[in-house]
Amino acid sequence: SCVGLNDLGADSYPIDVPEQLEDEAGADSDNENLIDDDEVFRDGDNTTEVESDDDVENDTEDEDDLNGEGKQLDDEQLLQSENVRYLVLQLVKRIRACVANIRSTRAVNDHVKRKASSNEPPIKFALITDFETRWNTTFVMIDRFCIYRTIIDDTNSRPFKIVHISPTQQLKLGSKEIEFTNDDWCSITDLYTILKPFMIATNVVSAKIILH
């Protein structure tokens, strides 16, 4: 009868394994372990690479978001600058139109001069219009316009008080284009304040050039 493996004791038939085979078996086992370790290492590398790719992708998205926000901020600042520039140009044009309107009609011009003479203290210089290509003349126009503020407001708000002018001229004096609100006057004052240091510096430099 056949003897089953279960019927044999573990020590009944000891197996002598040659040392060479043991070495080879040990080497194979080590190689298997190395292969397994390499596979784990490679798997780890792949996992790390995937995580790195995700990190790079997230970083790229963050950079894109920052760049997008930065571009939007730059566009908003540019738009704001353009709006300020436009508002300043429109304000200067209105000042120029108001002064030109006063000076174009003798009756209105004489009325403004009488008001200036009776002012306390008297205003000894007249309103002027500027040369558009010379910013310093624009500053002088704004400077004198500010000094004439009460007279200009009175003239524009009550044109019917001026004698010897036509109804058309009265309507023109009272038009919204050359009527200035408190906000307008604040903006004019701000513009004057900004330009004044440049005017002073220009005069100083011009004086030095003349002296030399």
Side-chain angles (χ1 to χ4, degrees):
S1 64
C2 295
V3 179
L5 293 177
N6 292 333
D7 296 333
L8 298 176
D11 297 332
S12 299
Y13 297 92
I15 300 175
D16 294 331
V17 180
E19 292 182 1
Q20 183 178 359
L21 291 178
E22 286 183 347
D23 293 339
E24 291 177 357
D28 291 339
S29 177
D30 291 339
N31 289 335
E32 289 178 0
N33 291 334
L34 288 174
I35 291 172
D36 292 340
D37 291 341
D38 290 343
E39 289 177 353
V40 172
F41 182 72
R42 285 197 296 272
D43 290 341
D45 283 348
N46 291 337
T47 303
T48 304
E49 289 177 1
V50 171
E51 292 176 354
S52 297
D53 291 341
D54 291 340
D55 292 340
V56 170
E57 185 176 352
N58 291 334
D59 291 342
T60 303
E61 291 177 356
D62 292 340
E63 289 178 1
D64 291 340
D65 292 340
L66 290 174
N67 291 335
E69 292 175 359
K71 186 177 184 303
Q72 183 179 0
L73 183 60
D74 291 341
D75 291 342
E76 290 176 355
Q77 290 176 344
L78 179 61
L79 181 61
Q80 185 177 6
S81 298
E82 289 297 324
N83 287 339
V84 171
R85 181 174 178 271
Y86 173 78
L87 292 175
V88 169
L89 288 175
Q90 292 302 311
L91 186 61
V92 172
K93 285 181 179 179
R94 289 175 60 204
I95 295 172
R96 191 180 294 128
C98 181
V99 175
N101 187 52
I102 291 173
R103 290 167 57 89
S104 64
T105 305
R106 182 169 183 174
V108 178
N109 196 33
D110 289 343
H111 172 80
V112 170
K113 285 182 178 180
R114 285 194 299 270
K115 288 283 187 179
S117 298
S118 61
N119 190 70
E120 189 59 42
I123 302 173
K124 297 181 179 180
F125 39 79
L127 290 168
I128 64 167
T129 53
D130 64 335
F131 295 99
E132 295 185 27
T133 56
R134 297 178 61 185
W135 74 268
N136 56 333
T137 62
T138 303
F139 173 80
V140 175
M141 178 183 71
I142 294 171
D143 180 25
R144 296 189 181 185
F145 196 77
C146 289
I147 295 172
Y148 272 82
R149 174 177 177 174
T150 55
I151 299 173
I152 290 170
D153 282 343
D154 181 70
T155 301
N156 289 339
S157 62
R158 300 190 300 173
F160 55 88
K161 291 288 185 179
I162 304 173
V163 296
H164 306 306
I165 63 171
S166 65
T168 302
Q169 187 63 29
Q170 289 180 357
L171 290 174
K172 193 173 182 180
L173 284 173
S175 68
K176 295 296 182 182
E177 181 184 357
I178 56 176
E179 183 180 357
F180 296 88
T181 64
N182 287 332
D183 289 340
D184 291 331
W185 283 110
C186 287
S187 297
I188 294 171
T189 303
D190 290 341
L191 182 58
Y192 168 84
T193 303
I194 292 170
L195 292 177
K196 185 176 181 179
F198 294 97
M199 186 66 177
I200 295 173
T202 301
N203 290 338
V204 170
V205 172
S206 299
K208 287 183 178 180
I209 292 174
I210 293 173
L211 289 175
H212 285 80

